[in-house]
Amino acid sequence: MTIEASLEADTAFARLKLPEKFHRTSHFATALYLAHALAFFLVPAMVAFAIVDIPASTPVRIGLALVLGIIGGHGMHLLTFVGHEGMHTNLHRNKYISAALAVLFSSLVPFFFIVGFSMTHWKHHRFTDQDIDPDAQIYSQYNNFVSRFFLARSGTVRVYTKNALRMALGLPWPENTKLPFSEREMRWITRINIALGLCGVTVYALIWHRSLWLGFTVMLVPYFGLYVMSAMRAYLEHTGTAPGRYHDARSYTSPIYTALFFGSNFHLEHHLYPAVPCYRLPALHGHLASQGLIKATGAQVERSFFGALRYTTGRFPYPHVELPSKADDFLERIADGRFDREADSAGTRAGEAMVAVVRE
């Protein structure tokens, strides 16, 4: 779809009115989500500690390190998304508890500051695929699989670290930054994030001191896996898309991805409704499809497990479109922390009218 057609669709298809249940957080579902991430991260580490002193040949030890490390890398990846959900205030109705869970769990990932990510992430939501989208500015630079594989993520890591240090020092926020927390609140959340991150790095240093094989298995291989998976995921979710509602992100709906990512693979739905917890996104996708909106809008949905991987190649450019900034009131309220899950879950009258047109 062309950019012009995408923008026309953005005007024609407003957000659908959602039943209250979609925005509601669940203590039980959140607990399952946290356990899911921790299991992928901690179980391989526990196995590594259990077998570290067992005699084995070098090839066997390398093989074990790679297998356990790749699984642990997916766990690290999931922990960064726990942080993502928490800073979206989607882990608990109380946004401070949600942020606390985000910082606590994501601090297990070395050299990753969820607060620095959050500062750019809301701008990414508000101006997706546009030239002022921080993600577009970085990821659009790389146009082949090799550069995307090895270089793309380093740029974002530097930005997140710089953002975290600026907030911790009380320096002014970058222009046009919005977050669901005040500057004073973010300053203290950031300082806690950095302190916990340093504690985590210290633990990893002790693991390296205990055994080089453990350090390789528990930290180095998982971190490299995280680095690659998070970079590839950015391209999978946005290459070949265009600015405009229903067209600025892609969902990849294979049940395998849903099981691995606990629903956060429904990225199109996440961009439409950032305050819907990830574990409700598969049901939200079904709800939108039942209203005829997925088909009517020509939304980007990839149903094949292996087919989704092609979007990481150079055949699909990461969009970086120069457009006049246009605020989306729905996203602006959420980014500003002016979102009440009970009051706002009803959606808009425009959404209801849109569904009536689609059904006709």
Side-chain angles (χ1 to χ4, degrees):
M1 174 174 285
T2 65
I3 294 172
E4 291 77 10
S6 178
L7 293 176
E8 288 178 6
D10 187 33
T11 302
F13 295 100
R15 281 184 181 82
L16 177 65
K17 171 183 176 179
L18 292 184
E20 178 186 316
K21 64 180 181 180
F22 285 111
H23 283 118
R24 187 185 301 139
T25 58
S26 162
H27 295 327
F28 179 70
T30 294
L32 283 181
Y33 179 49
L34 298 178
H36 176 261
L38 281 177
F40 274 98
F41 176 67
L42 291 179
V43 170
M46 293 168 63
V47 172
F49 272 92
I51 66 176
V52 63
D53 295 320
I54 296 176
S57 66
T58 299
V60 170
R61 293 180 73 80
I62 292 175
L64 287 171
L66 291 175
V67 171
L68 294 173
I70 291 171
I71 298 171
H74 180 59
M76 278 192 181
H77 192 194
L78 292 174
L79 289 174
T80 66
F81 264 77
V82 169
H84 163 272
E85 283 292 296
M87 295 308 289
H88 267 281
T89 70
N90 289 344
L91 294 180
H92 195 279
R93 186 174 179 182
N94 183 310
K95 69 178 183 178
Y96 301 107
I97 296 176
S98 184
L101 291 170
V103 169
L104 180 63
F105 280 76
S106 65
S107 293
L108 294 171
V109 179
F111 315 117
F112 175 75
F113 299 107
I114 190 61
V115 289
F117 165 86
S118 183
M119 178 168 280
T120 65
H121 187 65
W122 276 113
K123 196 170 183 178
H124 164 67
H125 268 281
R126 293 161 57 215
F127 305 106
T128 307
D129 294 348
Q130 300 180 39
D131 56 344
I132 58 174
D133 174 358
D135 284 10
Q137 292 172 359
I138 293 174
Y139 291 120
S140 64
Q141 300 178 57
Y142 306 103
N143 298 311
N144 60 70
F145 181 81
V146 174
S147 63
R148 291 174 174 183
F149 192 88
F150 289 106
L151 301 176
R153 199 58 176 169
S154 60
T156 59
V157 171
R158 289 194 298 271
V159 170
Y160 302 159
T161 303
K162 180 181 177 180
N163 287 344
L165 292 175
R166 286 181 60 87
M167 280 193 286
L169 294 173
L171 297 176
W173 288 4
E175 184 181 1
N176 206 16
T177 297
K178 291 187 177 184
L179 290 169
F181 304 90
S182 69
E183 290 196 33
R184 182 175 181 275
E185 290 168 343
M186 282 302 299
R187 188 158 57 245
W188 283 105
I189 293 172
T190 300
R191 291 169 180 171
I192 294 170
N193 192 181
I194 292 174
L196 288 176
L198 291 175
C199 290
V201 170
T202 301
V203 171
Y204 284 114
L206 293 174
I207 291 173
W208 278 100
H209 181 72
R210 165 73 172 81
S211 163
L212 290 178
W213 182 81
L214 274 179
F216 186 81
T217 306
V218 175
M219 179 184 171
L220 189 60
V221 176
Y223 190 75
F224 181 73
L226 161 68
Y227 182 93
V228 170
M229 285 186 280
S230 58
M232 293 299 98
R233 184 167 176 172
Y235 289 102
L236 193 157
E237 293 171 341
H238 287 287
T239 58
T241 64
R245 200 172 295 141
Y246 288 92
H247 297 283
D248 57 8
R250 175 180 297 106
S251 288
Y252 37 110
T253 60
S254 164
I256 299 174
Y257 286 123
T258 303
L260 287 173
F261 296 129
F262 215 83
S264 60
N265 49 305
F266 288 81
H267 199 62
L268 166 69
E269 290 74 16
H270 172 64
H271 268 261
L272 284 168
Y273 301 98
V276 171
C278 67
Y279 47 79
R280 299 199 190 281
L281 292 178
L284 174 57
H285 175 81
H287 181 69
L288 296 176
S290 71
Q291 304 300 319
L293 292 172
I294 299 297
K295 181 177 180 180
T297 59
Q300 294 247 14
V301 177
E302 175 57 61
R303 294 177 173 81
S304 167
F305 177 82
F306 291 107
L309 301 179
R310 71 181 185 271
Y311 297 105
T312 64
T313 67
R315 292 167 50 202
F316 298 89
Y318 196 106
H320 185 251
V321 181
E322 185 175 353
L323 288 173
S325 300
K326 185 178 71 171
D328 182 321
D329 290 340
F330 181 78
L331 295 182
E332 295 297 309
R333 285 189 295 122
I334 298 176
D336 254 342
R338 295 180 287 115
F339 182 82
D340 185 301
R341 293 181 181 276
E342 302 298 330
D344 290 308
S345 61
T348 63
R349 292 181 180 177
E352 292 178 311
M354 171 190 63
V355 173
V357 171
V358 170
R359 285 176 172 171
E360 289 176 2

